[in-house]
């Protein structure tokens, strides 16, 4: 397959050079001294085939002339190696300087100030764990574990937690998971204090953008709820919907390339966590590695694969949206606790800022106003 780049990409979702780079990283961990041990390349190939194509365990075993139990062990072993070796490089917690770069990039690309990332959560389908009852049974009537993640403006995940049970109240998962708790305790390395919104005297802390499954706080900004909103509130909701497309696209790319997210993962929860975590790390590895290549040479995430802003608020949908199989998100918060006065005031300040010459974008009014004629 090395002589056929198209076929190689179809099998491994990456270029030959990228594959060799990945294998070089993992070689020390996958090389075994025993003379009958399987070669490192085969170990990696078995795992990648499962992650990218979600082939049945028995199908992989027959194709590679090994036993089912061996395939399972190889998948677990390689995922552990990916986490151990690549996580400190490709999914480590950003430093304060790196957060500042992410904030600047969100302003440049998505016209949102003081934003350190977009946050979302998805249900990952699993088989019913042993002796678990209904702990993993979610509102969609299947068993799942929850992947919670934050990403930067370029579809690269910055913070990830996997393992909350599917039966948990979706609105409370973020607050109870390590990301939410560390955010509350100011342990994520985010810039402390507040910063001026560009061109104004309004100050806010840096924050994440979430949807209506999250509770409003000073560190997580969510849309105004309801249908009967003022024009200013509709503009605000439109403006924060733009950066929210980033996390939506990141999850879309992930589920499009890693087909295991489209089916039940037949392992126990602790192994599922590693499989999902390793997949996210590989996503970051492939995305970051390909960013050094000219756009037309990228095969994991080519320019047409993500949503493209054509200007004036017009988007061209990325190819991942036509691929189907999207991950199921968290339910909207129904009975979330009222936001603090400071959080509500901060959102109101942002809302007013988006109506000022310094904070508005020219096309936002056309995007929220009805311009058609009524047939009387």
């Amino acid at each position: 397959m090395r002589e056929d780049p198209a076929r190689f990409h179809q099998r491994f979702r990456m270029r030959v050079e990228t594959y060799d780079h990945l294998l070089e990283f993992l070689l020390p961990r996958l090389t075994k001294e025993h003379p009958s041990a399987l070669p490192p390349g085969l170990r990696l190939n078995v795992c990648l085939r499962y992650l990218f194509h979600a082939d049945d365990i028995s199908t992989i075993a027959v194709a590679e002339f090994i036993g089912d139990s061996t395939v399972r062990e190889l998948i677990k072993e390689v995922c552990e190696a990916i986490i151990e070796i690549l996580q400190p490089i490709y999914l480590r917690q950003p430093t304060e300087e790196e957060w500042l770069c992410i904030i600047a990039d969100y302003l440049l690309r998505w016209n949102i100030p003081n934003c350190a990332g977009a946050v979302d959560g998805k249900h990952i389908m699993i088989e019913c764990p042993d002796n678990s009852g209904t702990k993993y049974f979610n509102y969609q009537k299947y068993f799942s574990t929850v992947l919670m993640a934050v990403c930067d403006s370029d579809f690269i995940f910055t913070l990830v937690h996997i393992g909350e049970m599917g039966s948990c109240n979706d609105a409370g998962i973020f607050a109870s998971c390590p990301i939410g708790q560390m955010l509350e305790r100011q342990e994520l390395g985010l810039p402390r204090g507040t910063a001026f919104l560009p061109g104004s005297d309004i100050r806010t802390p840096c924050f994440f953008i979430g949807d209506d499954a999250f509770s409003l706080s000073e560190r997580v900004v969510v849309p105004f709820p309801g249908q009967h909103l003022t024009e200013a509130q509709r503009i605000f909701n439109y403006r924060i919907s733009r950066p929210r497309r980033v996390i939506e696209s990141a999850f879309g790319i992930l589920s499009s390339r890693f087909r295991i997210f489209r089916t039940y993962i037949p392992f126990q929860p602790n192994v599922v966590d590693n499989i999902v975590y390793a997949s996210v790390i590989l996503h970051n590895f492939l995305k970051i590695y390909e960013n050094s290549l000219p756009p037309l040479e990228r095969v994991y995430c080519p320019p047409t694969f993500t949503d493209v802003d054509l200007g004036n608020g017009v988007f061209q949908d990325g190819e991942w949206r036509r691929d189907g199989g999207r991950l199921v998100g968290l339910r909207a918060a129904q009975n979330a606790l009222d936001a603090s006065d400071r959080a509500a005031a901060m959102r109101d300040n942002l809302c007013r800022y988006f109506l000022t010459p310094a904070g508005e974008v020219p096309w936002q009014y056309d995007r929220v106003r009805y311009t058609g004629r009524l047939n009387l």
Side-chain angles (χ1 to χ4, degrees), residues 363-375:
W363 63 84
Q364 65 187 28
Y365 303 99
D366 292 336
R367 291 292 158 192
V368 301
R369 289 174 179 167
Y370 176 71
T371 56
R373 293 182 179 179
L374 294 175
N375 294 318

Side-chain angles (χ1 to χ4, degrees), residues 171-190:
I173 287 178
F174 180 74
S176 63
C177 81
I179 298 176
Q181 293 176 350
M182 292 177 71
L183 179 65
E184 179 69 21
R185 298 193 299 263
Q186 300 187 39
E187 295 175 352
L188 292 178
L190 291 164

Side-chain angles (χ1 to χ4, degrees), residues 251-287:
F251 276 125
I253 296 164
L254 187 70
S255 63
S256 180
R257 294 311 197 197
F258 293 81
R259 298 300 175 106
I260 56 159
F261 293 114
R262 301 185 175 200
T263 187
Y264 296 92
I265 303 179
F267 290 86
Q268 289 301 303
N270 63 319
V271 180
V272 171
D273 292 352
N274 281 349
I275 288 172
V276 174
Y277 198 37
S279 299
V280 174
I281 293 169
L282 280 177
H283 164 89
N284 279 8
F285 164 78
L286 293 169
K287 188 74 176 63

